[in-house]
Amino acid sequence: MQQSMAQIVGFLAPLGIYFYIFLLNVLVPGRWVTGYATKTNSTEKLRYRLNGIQVLFIVVLTWSAVCYTGLLPWDWLYTYRWQGLAGAVIFGLIFSVVLVLPNAPVTKSFLADFYLGRLENPQLWGGRIDAKMWLYLVGAIMLQLNVLSFAMHHYILYGAQSSTGIFLATGLLTFFLIDYLTFEEVHLYTYDLFAERVGFKLGWGCIAFYPYFYAIPLWSTVALPYTHTPVPLLALSALVFFTGWCLSRGANLQKYFFKKDPNRVFLGITPEAIADGNKTLLVNGFWGHSRHINYLGEIVMATGVVLCVGHPLLLWPWLYPLYYVALLFPRQIDDDKRCALKYGPLWNEYLKRVPYRIIPYVY
Ligand code: NDP
């Protein structure tokens, strides 16, 4: 392929991949579930059709077939990462404009509407495609392809001299994505799904930011030589990651099961709740140590990935966990405000029972 032509294809690649994911999301068999968010001005819960994990495997297999047959090199997405990022940035912008502009204003500020969106839960064909779930799906799958391609670039460059830590970080990020799509239904019970609208933040965020920025620990290190990180240190880094995963996945699952069945025992933890006769809040297990221990888990997981890549003095990889701190600390404050409004005096009781926001005994 000519260089200029390859650059154009690199620019358009995310768009093509997202369209392929859209087709698979529509066509591949999925399971219908009832979510947690309700239809606008109604108490009726939205329905969703989920098949993310199947779509992920099909796209990765397709991509592997394309590379295996020699149509594209295994590290093609790395070679054209800047073009791909530019394409995703432009497509994300167009997507946000198309989803926001034709709809009725929600606030007086156009900028606020553009950033946060106007539609709450846009769906096609009665939930066969849900805009939010599709956005998270394209972000996750594009990130997966980038991560694999970046790791292959390292292998192509260094062969037998490759860093074990790069492959470990690739494995952990892959685990993070497979875990997310395995528990796709649990995601229906999260803030983005029931409290946010679809605008630039979510649309551009999932189309452009998520698949490229989350790859930054690898993006910034795969072209660097072997780090000689000792195996015990790599094992410790993986332990850090899985400790974070236990906190995050554990808290999210405990809340999910509690919302579905308030009496269900999870990991041997019998739910303990406070109630006002109308609403209930969990106060034990993961939710008894801090009010958002899942956020701490997310930050710890990201730290584990950075430790694996083996360049602790390089700033770029650290932007990944730092981004989580910048995202999740203000989000906890917003969520606290939202919950104080929703739960009233019950929330104050919860604050007394669980005084820590994110880090038990510290913050
Ligand atoms: P939570 O899953 O913590 O959800 C907060 C909501 O849960 C509250 O608004 C309230 O909603 C309910 N809630 C809070 N406390 C209690 C309680 N004690 N008992 C029962 N219900 C409670 O936060 P998010 O939705 O923000 O995050 C979900 C997950 O996604 C987290 O693990 C987070 O780290 C992760 N995440 C990952 C990102 C990534 O890029 N990888 C980005 C952002 C988040 P209500 O009462 O209305 O049910």
Side-chain angles (χ1 to χ4, degrees):
M1 215 188 291
Q2 254 184 351
Q3 183 64 9
S4 55
M5 178 55 96
Q7 289 183 347
I8 295 171
V9 177
F11 178 83
L12 293 174
L15 185 59
I17 291 168
Y18 296 168
F19 182 63
Y20 183 46
I21 295 170
F22 177 83
L23 288 182
L24 291 173
N25 204 194
V26 174
L27 298 175
V28 170
R31 61 198 176 94
W32 283 95
V33 298
T34 301
Y36 187 58
T38 51
K39 292 186 177 170
T40 309
N41 301 325
S42 158
T43 53
E44 193 190 336
K45 299 236 161 91
L46 285 163
R47 300 265 297 151
Y48 300 83
R49 188 172 161 281
L50 305 179
N51 58 9
I53 193 80
Q54 293 93 316
V55 176
L56 170 79
F57 281 113
I58 295 173
V59 175
V60 172
L61 278 178
T62 312
W63 189 256
S64 307
V66 166
C67 298
Y68 183 76
T69 52
L71 275 173
L72 291 174
W74 287 97
D75 63 345
W76 189 80
L77 286 172
Y78 178 83
T79 308
Y80 293 99
R81 62 198 181 286
W82 287 108
Q83 289 82 355
L85 172 62
V89 163
I90 303 288
F91 175 52
L93 263 174
I94 296 171
F95 179 92
S96 311
V97 169
V98 168
L99 224 73
V100 171
L101 274 194
N103 296 297
V106 177
T107 66
K108 284 186 185 141
S109 155
F110 172 75
L111 275 184
D113 270 15
F114 181 68
Y115 184 69
L116 295 171
R118 288 176 171 164
L119 295 179
E120 279 180 343
N121 287 293
Q123 292 194 326
L124 288 175
W125 309 304
R128 198 172 179 93
I129 289 282
D130 175 85
K132 288 178 179 170
M133 295 309 278
W134 178 78
L135 283 167
Y136 278 104
L137 187 64
V138 297
I141 296 179
M142 192 68 218
L143 173 60
Q144 178 70 81
L145 295 181
N146 278 337
V147 159
L148 294 175
S149 186
F150 291 8
M152 284 310 287
H153 181 72
H154 184 73
Y155 182 70
I156 289 166
L157 274 184
Y158 295 107
Q161 292 303 310
S162 299
S163 287
T164 318
I166 291 289
F167 300 126
L168 185 57
T170 304
L172 295 181
L173 284 167
T174 300
F175 175 89
F176 167 78
L177 292 165
I178 292 179
D179 170 75
Y180 162 63
L181 289 171
T182 304
F183 295 103
E184 207 179 3
E185 187 178 346
V186 179
H187 192 66
L188 299 176
Y189 289 71
T190 61
Y191 186 85
D192 326 2
L193 267 285
F194 61 74
E196 295 202 311
R197 297 187 297 275
V198 186
F200 178 85
K201 184 180 173 205
L202 207 77
W204 187 87
C206 285
I207 287 172
F209 185 79
Y210 179 22
Y212 288 89
F213 181 79
Y214 281 40
I216 200 167
L218 289 174
W219 179 315
S220 57
T221 55
V222 290
L224 302 176
Y226 188 36
T227 54
H228 298 283
T229 311
V231 171
L233 222 60
L234 286 179
L236 195 69
S237 311
L239 187 69
V240 169
F241 174 90
F242 284 109
T243 304
W245 175 73
C246 288
L247 295 179
S248 185
R249 180 51 66 212
N252 292 336
L253 274 181
Q254 190 194 2
K255 176 161 70 84
Y256 165 75
F257 287 131
F258 177 72
K259 299 277 181 189
K260 288 199 98 165
D261 172 5
N263 296 314
R264 178 166 170 170
V265 176
F266 168 67
L267 289 182
I269 307 165
T270 306
E272 190 189 335
I274 49 173
D276 61 3
N278 197 7
K279 302 184 196 84
T280 49
L281 283 166
L282 260 174
V283 292
N284 73 333
F286 294 91
W287 296 85
H289 291 291
S290 76
R291 302 200 293 281
H292 267 105
I293 205 155
N294 47 359
Y295 289 178
L296 175 64
E298 213 79 42
I299 297 163
V300 172
M301 276 163 91
T303 306
V305 171
V306 174
L307 292 175
C308 280
V309 297
H311 295 274
L313 297 181
L314 195 67
L315 172 68
W316 296 111
W318 288 105
L319 294 183
Y320 179 46
L322 284 176
Y323 154 76
Y324 274 130
V325 172
L327 173 81
L328 297 176
F329 274 64
R331 182 160 162 152
Q332 185 281 325
I333 294 168
D334 281 352
D335 193 50
D336 240 35
K337 282 187 200 146
R338 182 184 169 274
C339 288
L341 269 179
K342 177 175 173 181
Y343 290 97
L346 193 64
W347 192 252
N348 292 333
E349 201 182 326
Y350 183 44
L351 294 190
K352 279 190 205 131
R353 293 279 294 258
V354 185
Y356 298 103
R357 292 168 179 271
I358 296 179
I359 312 171
Y361 308 108
V362 176
Y363 174 77

